[in-house]
Amino acid sequence: MSFRARHLLGIDHLAPSEIVTLLDLAEEYVALNRRTVKHSDVLEGLTQINMFFENSTRTQSSFELAGKRLGADVMNMSMQNSSVKKGETLIDTALTLNAMQPDLLVVRHPNSGAVNLLAEKVKCAVINAGDGRHEHPTQALLDALTIRRAKGRLQRLTVAICGDIAHSRVARSNLILLGKMENRIRLIGPRTLMPSGVADFGCEIYEDMREGLKGADVVMMLRLQRERMDGGFIPSEREYFHRWGLDAEKLALAAPDAIVMHPGPMNRGVEIDGTIADDINRSVIQDQVEMGVAVRMAALDLLARNLRADRGRAAAGGVMV
Amino acid sequence: MTTLVFQNARLIDPEAQTDAPGSLLVRDGVIESIGSPDEAAPEGADIVDCNGRALAPGLIDWGVKIGEPGERHKESFRSAGRAAAAGGVTTMIVRPDTLPPIDTPESLEFVTRRGADAPVNIRHMAALTKNRDGREMVEIGFLTDAGAVAFTDGVRPVQDAKLLSRCMTYARGLDALIVGHPQDASLSKGAAATSGKFASLYGIPAVSPMAEVMGLDRDLALVEMTGARWHADQITTEAALPALRRARDKGLNVTAGISIHHLTLNEFDVGDYRTFFRFTPPLRPEDDRIAMVQAVADGLIDVIASFHTPQDEESKRLPFEAAAPGAVGLQTLLPAALRLYHQGGLTLPQLWRAMSLNPAKRLGLPAGRLSKGAPADLILFDPDAPFVLDRFTLLSKSKNTPFDGARMEGRVTGTWVAGQRVFGGEA
């Protein structure tokens, strides 16, 4: 098996072969999830804790379902109104949790790098469910699986990522993953929402969405956060929709069989026209949600295998690596 | 009358810009004369055989933070003083950004008294505005009388240009020195890194070095308007150098400094969110670092300092953007600076001009020289002695150094303040 990572902190540390291994396993879980009895026991007896320092409904429920379908004991901890408010530091929280002997820890945190910090302090496998503006690896993996199923391949595609690139961890992880798999990436959006140093990313940059969409195989829209709409980054919602919102006219410039993606939740009429989002011939947005559960099951499964192997070696007197 | 002779030394003279064998005679804590390497010692003199090691003026570290008052668990005058002596720093110019800040003659008197705990010289800076909140100027006259050598609000720039212009005008009347932190506060708000590919890929809130240029441009315009004596604490980007050069050419009374960290580290050193590498301003790209080493060599940047900033473990064991900025530096200033010497960027006399002579001249101190009549604040060191730094061996109460585990060269073997040995054993 070609998956050696102990934690899933980002796409950056995964080799292309590890990505493929994970996606192949996720395909099996897609099949499982479509059966009436959606249960496996590969995580039987393991404890999975979902620790969310930032609000999330979709990602958290997706991880919860993934763990439960694989037979893990899953606990959700909503950290916004807990000991953090009482002044406990992240590391103390990690040590407290560690003492409860979890096997899999799923963490979302508003600061970039916070999940890496936490992973250093615990003895279980850690999955990054989004840290600040850094990475959101399972989102990129589920996007990759969705693309591979829709297009039949994950190489040599022209992928247009549109919207708030600067503040998006989804964009970061996606452009790392799609770059590793040798795709052509275009970043489209207003300059105020482009990260600094973007010219060095090895992507093509477009301010004009019409230009950027020409011939694209995949159109990946990003959510525009409410707090960016107040005139600080863009003048108004309606001007944004006019210039960077995906509508039928702009989509017509992409390849005829281009697919439309969105990580959700959508702002209809801001970054995407409702009719495009609902067009079953173009939009794979619901597929992304379905693939999300399967990809997270695969990630939990692979990390659990490596964790067991590590512990087996440690028990046999070896050194934990 | 006590007499001390340093024989067989390699004398680093920042005034003459020489690095040559010689001997040095000290009488009653003052340098009396310089002679040939094997100059005969007068009768009854104590002799230090330097064995060819380097003898230089002690370092004057401009911008040391000490946790008194308010954060004595991070650093006290006693612990900082011991670290300074071991690191070859014979004078600490102490920052006023304490809790509460040093903004009255009474609080200045308190820290002056506390400073007697340290074995090295201490001079204090005072805040420029009350409580460092940029609204009212401090009693610059009283504070000058009480011994303040300069006035600064630390890394909080005075944002109100009118108030800052009045502070400068008033200070000029007293010939007082103002130390600024060139930075546009609104642009750099919340930033923990320099903007660019690295910060973007790691998702760290970042600011362009232009925020420093903007702050410098504004401050220099006010200096030109008021004629104040002004020093920029840290100039860290190549983009700021033309403005600095223009100010010099116009004859403005302006000098500038830089931290040793910005001369020896770059933005990539942050690596995997290592919080000991978080600084204000943030570490810069390598091109900037190289340009700043050249600016020191050219004399455009006058002063190198450690900006010693003790932080306890809890302030650093946090996500990068939430961690406190700054590093301790009293004991690493010299070996880090010697990296620049070993790499060939700067000579020892050039380094000592920036670390002892220039700060002394700018602050009106008699030290920092190897000339007759100067106080015998001296250090003896081996510039080539290699070691691997272990942060827990540092004498500061706080151990937050970016050089932990780093291979360094340069060890101080003796430190003298006014002719009295404050660090190092025999010979």
Side-chain angles (χ1 to χ4, degrees), chain B residues 296-340:
Chain B
V296 172
D298 296 343
L300 185 57
I301 299 285
D302 305 88
V303 175
I304 302 173
S306 76
F307 292 88
H308 180 85
T309 304
Q311 299 288 3
D312 54 18
E313 300 288 303
E314 298 316 318
S315 310
K316 287 287 190 183
R317 290 173 62 187
L318 292 169
F320 191 80
E321 61 197 90
V328 293
L330 287 165
Q331 275 174 275
T332 47
L333 175 59
L334 182 118
L338 288 173
R339 282 186 172 182
L340 302 171

Side-chain angles (χ1 to χ4, degrees), chain A residues 91 112-113 116 134 172 195-196 200, chain B residues 195-196 200 203 272-273 317 321:
Chain A
I91 287 176
S112 303
N116 301 44
H134 179 217
R172 285 284 179 303
S196 63
D200 302 328
Chain B
S195 58
S200 287
D272 206 8
Y273 303 103
R317 290 173 62 187
E321 61 197 90

Side-chain angles (χ1 to χ4, degrees), chain A residues 203-217:
Chain A
C203 306
E204 299 163 47
I205 318 293
Y206 291 91
E207 172 116 18
D208 181 345
M209 190 170 186
R210 288 181 175 79
E211 276 300 311
L213 286 184
K214 273 183 191 160
D217 301 303

Side-chain angles (χ1 to χ4, degrees), chain A residues 11-28:
Chain A
I11 298 297
D12 202 27
H13 67 87
L14 292 184
S17 61
E18 290 180 299
I19 293 170
V20 171
T21 301
L22 195 147
L23 297 183
D24 290 347
L25 181 62
E27 290 281 7
E28 294 175 25

